Amino acid sequence: MESAFNPSIKQLSFTELEAFLRQQREGGFRARQIWHWLYEKWACDFEEMRNLPAALRQVLQEHFSAFSLKPIDRQKATDGTLKWLCQLSDGLSLETVLIPSGRRNTVCISTQVGCQVRCVFCASGKKGLKRNLLSSEIVDQVLLACRHLQEKVSNVVVMGMGEPLHNLENLLPALELLSSAEAFGLGARSITISTSGIVPGIRSLAELERPWNLAISLHACSDQQRSQIIPDAYRYPIKEILVACQYHRERCKRMPTLEYALLQGFNDSDQDAARLAKIAKRLHAKINLIPCNPGPSKYQAPAIKHCQHFQELLEQAGAKATLRSRRGDSIMAACGQLQERHQE
Ligand code: SAH
Ligand code: SF4
């Protein structure tokens, strides 16, 4: 019998899977068949793998689990955004969001349960870090969305719960699998990693020279202002973040994004817009404005007209800026909020 406590088969590399199959006296071609079921057919049970002999399916079931997530809640917003709450084998839970938009299907994945950065406006960071997700748990979120759509997603954004650069150990193998032509086969340019600005992590990513996109959650243009929303423990000076970001752009040849949560009365003045435009232009970065989602803090989003005014100021100053519509508001799409409600 498969047990939820068996290790995930997706923790194995292709070579490790081949070695396991050799031990079981199975032909080398079986690894390719299994890989196909896992990453191209999004199978979540070994029983689905119909071209494998029943005895092998049984052996796999005794040693591994095929899928690490158990969906326990799902909500759909009027704009089609879909959000899952999934339980992990140890009873903790994570959130995954699917955002359909025209011909694009973007899945937003989590990398940790909780987060130790603890930005004041973010539900994920409210209770600190519970644990890092395994690479199989990261990959399975993407496969869950594909299985639902019965189609391969076109984009992956690492913008769910957690600070991705605090879990590079598991994120990197997951992204390699997702980008690998032999496994999931998603173009590296279709992957975006969002970070609160963990400088050593940005440098490590840069050195890999993969064309994954980088998004920096800046939210404020001075360290003093930023310190009011991001606690000191894991906050780096803006100057160092920008140098690391520049290094990443040079090595990976991708234009960075600056994320800026608009918090009414805190970072939405005309002067804030001027300072943000200056930083973005110097960095050759585009800006993504996110009106604050109601969360654990006192902050609120400015009125939509004011958000548009802020965007216009940026553009007049020569910066490129998009204003994110508050997708999935009706299901509380800000990260960590669905999980929080379940715990209450
Ligand atoms: N930890 C990473 C990625 C996950 S959060 C990071 O911080 O970048 C993804 C984005 O959502 C970040 O820009 C984050 O600051 C933002 N965010 C979190 N809570 C929010 C809220 N209540 N309103 C608006 N943006 C929020
Ligand atoms: Fe962590 Fe990002 Fe939330 Fe900050 S915004 S607490 S870094 S998940």
Side-chain angles (χ1 to χ4, degrees):
M1 259 301 281
E2 178 180 351
S3 150
F5 298 104
N6 281 347
S8 167
I9 192 164
K10 294 182 189 117
Q11 289 295 124
L12 300 189
S13 66
F14 190 74
T15 323
E16 287 165 340
L17 179 59
E18 280 181 318
F20 173 82
L21 292 165
R22 253 196 316 276
Q23 273 173 11
Q24 303 297 323
R25 302 183 188 290
E26 288 288 345
F29 66 101
R30 293 288 182 209
R32 171 107 346 261
Q33 285 179 321
I34 296 170
W35 218 243
H36 175 77
W37 280 110
L38 294 175
Y39 298 109
E40 289 172 62
K41 293 279 183 195
W42 324 301
C44 62
D45 192 317
F46 295 112
E47 281 308 308
E48 290 174 37
M49 304 183 180
R50 289 181 301 274
N51 54 357
L52 302 185
L56 175 58
R57 295 201 300 255
Q58 175 92 31
V59 169
L60 291 172
Q61 217 138 43
E62 280 162 12
H63 287 82
F64 303 108
S65 76
F67 199 69
S68 51
L69 309 175
K70 182 174 152 201
I72 52 174
D73 193 3
R74 201 176 80 182
Q75 295 188 356
K76 194 170 185 173
T78 43
D79 64 8
T81 303
L82 198 61
K83 181 164 180 162
W84 286 271
L85 183 71
C86 291
Q87 197 169 54
L88 301 163
S89 61
D90 58 5
L92 292 173
S93 55
L94 60 74
E95 292 182 6
T96 303
V97 180
L98 173 64
I99 309 155
S101 171
R103 279 187 302 147
R104 275 158 69 126
N105 282 307
T106 301
V107 59
C108 172
I109 57 173
S110 298
T111 51
Q112 299 183 307
V113 180
C115 180
Q116 63 205 135
V117 182
R118 310 188 85 153
C119 304
V120 296
F121 49 81
C122 173
S124 301
K126 200 172 154 192
K127 296 197 187 102
L129 177 69
K130 292 276 195 318
R131 74 165 168 89
N132 281 338
L133 294 179
L134 299 172
S135 63
S136 50
E137 293 166 335
I138 298 173
V139 168
D140 276 342
Q141 297 173 64
V142 178
L143 306 183
L144 174 76
C146 298
R147 199 174 159 91
H148 168 80
L149 291 166
Q150 282 300 299
E151 188 181 297
K152 194 163 136 182
V153 295
S154 56
N155 296 75
V156 170
V157 293
V158 188
M159 289 188 185
M161 300 165 67
E163 168 49 61
L165 304 191
H166 277 164
N167 187 16
L168 275 176
E169 186 195 338
N170 292 294
L171 177 64
L172 293 178
L175 294 187
E176 294 294 358
L177 258 174
L178 292 173
S179 329
S180 141
E182 283 73 42
F184 191 73
L186 190 69
R189 288 180 171 76
S190 310
I191 296 176
T192 300
I193 305 165
S194 172
T195 174
S196 59
I198 307 300
V199 168
I202 299 173
R203 292 190 161 274
S204 305
L205 263 187
E207 269 143 31
L208 293 174
E209 298 192 349
R210 296 280 191 285
W212 297 325
N213 302 295
L214 182 67
I216 305 282
S217 297
L218 193 65
H219 306 325
C221 297
S222 77
D223 290 316
Q224 192 278 334
Q225 190 184 25
R226 210 164 174 260
S227 70
Q228 294 175 51
I229 47 172
I230 309 182
D232 291 344
Y234 299 99
R235 185 173 42 78
Y236 286 81
I238 293 180
K239 213 168 155 187
E240 286 181 31
I241 296 176
L242 299 182
V243 172
C245 200
Q246 176 97 9
Y247 178 59
H248 182 277
R249 189 168 59 84
E250 281 158 15
R251 298 289 295 257
C252 302
K253 313 271 184 287
R254 301 300 289 161
M255 192 163 126
T257 303
L258 295 176
E259 286 167 284
Y260 195 87
L262 280 167
L263 312 177
Q264 187 181 34
F266 173 74
N267 64 358
D268 61 344
S269 71
D270 291 8
Q271 200 196 0
D272 289 313
R275 290 191 299 174
L276 178 59
K278 202 167 152 197
I279 294 178
K281 280 195 296 181
R282 207 170 345 129
L283 203 62
H284 303 283
K286 50 194 174 190
I287 301 162
N288 187 15
L289 300 171
I290 319 166
C292 179
N293 268 294
S297 69
K298 58 179 187 214
Y299 293 110
Q300 289 180 352
I304 181 70
K305 276 223 148 53
H306 187 75
C307 297
Q308 287 161 348
H309 166 72
F310 195 88
Q311 181 189 17
E312 279 159 21
L313 288 179
L314 294 171
E315 288 186 338
Q316 281 163 16
K320 282 199 188 82
T322 51
L323 175 61
R324 194 194 287 180
S325 60
R326 292 165 67 187
R327 288 195 135 240
D329 254 8
S330 63
I331 52 165
M332 304 193 301
C335 61
Q337 292 187 343
L338 185 59
Q339 185 206 39
E340 196 174 54
R341 215 188 52 178
H342 265 254
Q343 284 166 351
E344 270 160 13

